[in-house]
Amino acid sequence: MTSTGPEATTTHEGPLRVERDGHVETWTIDLPETRNPISGPDVVAAFVEHTARVDRDGDVRAVILTGAGSAFSAGGNVHEMAERRGMFSGAPYEQRNGYRHGIQQIPLALRRCEVPFIAAVNGPAVGAGCDLAMMCDLRIASTKAFFAESFVQLGIIPGDGGAWFLTRAIGPARAAEMALTGDRVDAATALEWGMVSRVVEPEELLDAARDLAARVAKNPPHATRMAKKLIQESQQRDLEGVLELSAAMQAISHHTQAHTDAVQAFVERTRR
């Protein structure tokens, strides 16, 4: 992304519209006529490209992800499934590679990226769209949003890592209920289950997401990035492993100028 500084606002057009405001980017899946599917190669490539870019850019401190139009994301393109086109074409071995080199690159890219992601779920998040929201670190939903792990209703399973992300977001029992029934979960239930941290009116959604992003972005980026990584690792490691990683990350943090300045400012405030 070309930018004249951290306060510049720039835009990338395409299936993933990217806008920059200060230290925060907003990514909008911009395929409203098909309800923002994410299975196409252009969408996958955009996610892979931009996650790698912001991971390298220390000025980007948070990313808001939302959908254009009335839907957050319908997930896979069902019309392409029916016609056996795109990643759904070919023999079973070819389809396997279609998933591996296609949509599965999105969860891998988001997982590798240390920048915090905030899902602003503006409407239906269905199938892989539901999983995409779960791949984000923080989630806010509009009252018009709903979530559905609906793969079984099409006779398939979550092929994009949804079983992994959804289970970690809401626990195995509720994840099983969603995955085995394919039923919708409305915004109020999503809040009760911990799928989202807030539910707001549609017209308040982006402002709420921007406010949350600003609260993240005001902190030193090395700290928020390492905190995100530590939370991720804590889902897989035992306590001893997390403590070892915490000690290493904390030692790095203690030697940053941001930490020194923050501690000095705190000491000066307490002396007044």
Side-chain angles (χ1 to χ4, degrees):
M1 173 179 282
T2 301
S3 175
T4 58
E7 299 305 318
T9 300
T10 55
T11 303
H12 286 269
E13 299 295 344
L16 190 63
R17 178 160 36 94
V18 177
E19 299 167 287
R20 173 80 170 266
D21 186 6
H23 296 296
V24 177
E25 289 193 357
T26 300
W27 298 4
T28 304
I29 309 169
D30 199 12
L31 299 167
E33 66 282 356
T34 50
R35 299 173 69 80
N36 303 322
I38 59 171
S39 55
D42 52 345
V43 181
V44 173
F47 267 100
V48 171
E49 172 193 347
H50 289 299
T51 50
R53 175 184 54 77
V54 297
D55 201 39
R56 295 189 300 266
D57 186 348
D59 277 336
V60 180
R61 301 186 183 183
V63 174
I64 298 168
L65 177 62
T66 193
S70 61
F72 177 72
S73 174
N77 190 317
V78 180
H79 293 288
E80 289 189 351
M81 286 186 203
E83 297 167 7
R84 301 282 185 175
R85 291 189 290 112
M87 64 175 285
F88 309 110
S89 63
Y93 179 78
E94 295 170 312
Q95 288 190 351
R96 172 178 175 262
N97 282 334
Y99 274 89
R100 291 176 61 240
H101 302 304
I103 196 171
Q104 289 185 355
Q105 293 302 307
I106 294 177
L108 291 172
L110 290 174
R111 186 74 177 173
R112 284 191 294 260
C113 185
E114 293 187 351
V115 179
F117 275 74
I118 301 167
V121 186
N122 53 300
V126 178
C130 176
D131 297 337
L132 180 63
M134 299 305 108
M135 294 173 201
C136 295
D137 305 290
L138 302 163
R139 294 173 288 275
I140 299 176
S142 156
T143 54
K144 292 186 176 180
F146 67 80
F147 302 83
E149 192 76 346
S150 55
F151 298 93
V152 291
Q153 295 185 349
L154 294 177
I156 54 177
I157 51 88
D160 60 342
W164 195 91
F165 287 99
L166 188 62
T167 298
R168 282 160 175 76
I170 60 174
R174 284 170 171 159
E177 180 176 338
M178 289 188 68
L180 298 179
T181 65
D183 291 345
R184 296 181 179 186
V185 171
D186 63 22
T189 304
L191 179 62
E192 178 187 344
W193 286 7
M195 295 181 76
V196 300
S197 58
R198 290 182 63 190
V199 174
V200 299
E201 294 300 321
E203 63 274 13
E204 300 172 4
L205 179 64
L206 283 180
D207 283 343
R210 292 183 187 117
D211 176 71
L212 181 56
R215 287 158 52 202
V216 172
K218 70 179 177 59
N219 297 307
H222 78 272
T224 55
R225 290 184 179 214
M226 285 198 291
K228 170 178 174 172
K229 183 66 173 176
L230 193 60
I231 290 169
Q232 289 179 334
E233 292 297 324
S234 71
Q235 298 173 2
Q236 305 174 79
R237 299 187 182 215
D238 59 17
L239 176 59
E240 185 174 343
V242 171
L243 289 174
E244 285 294 329
L245 184 59
S246 301
M249 288 184 168
Q250 195 75 308
I252 294 170
S253 298
H254 276 298
H255 285 267
T256 61
Q257 190 62 47
H259 167 68
T260 301
D261 292 345
V263 169
Q264 187 60 39
F266 177 84
V267 170
E268 290 176 0
R269 286 196 304 270
T270 61
R271 287 174 177 168
R272 293 172 187 166

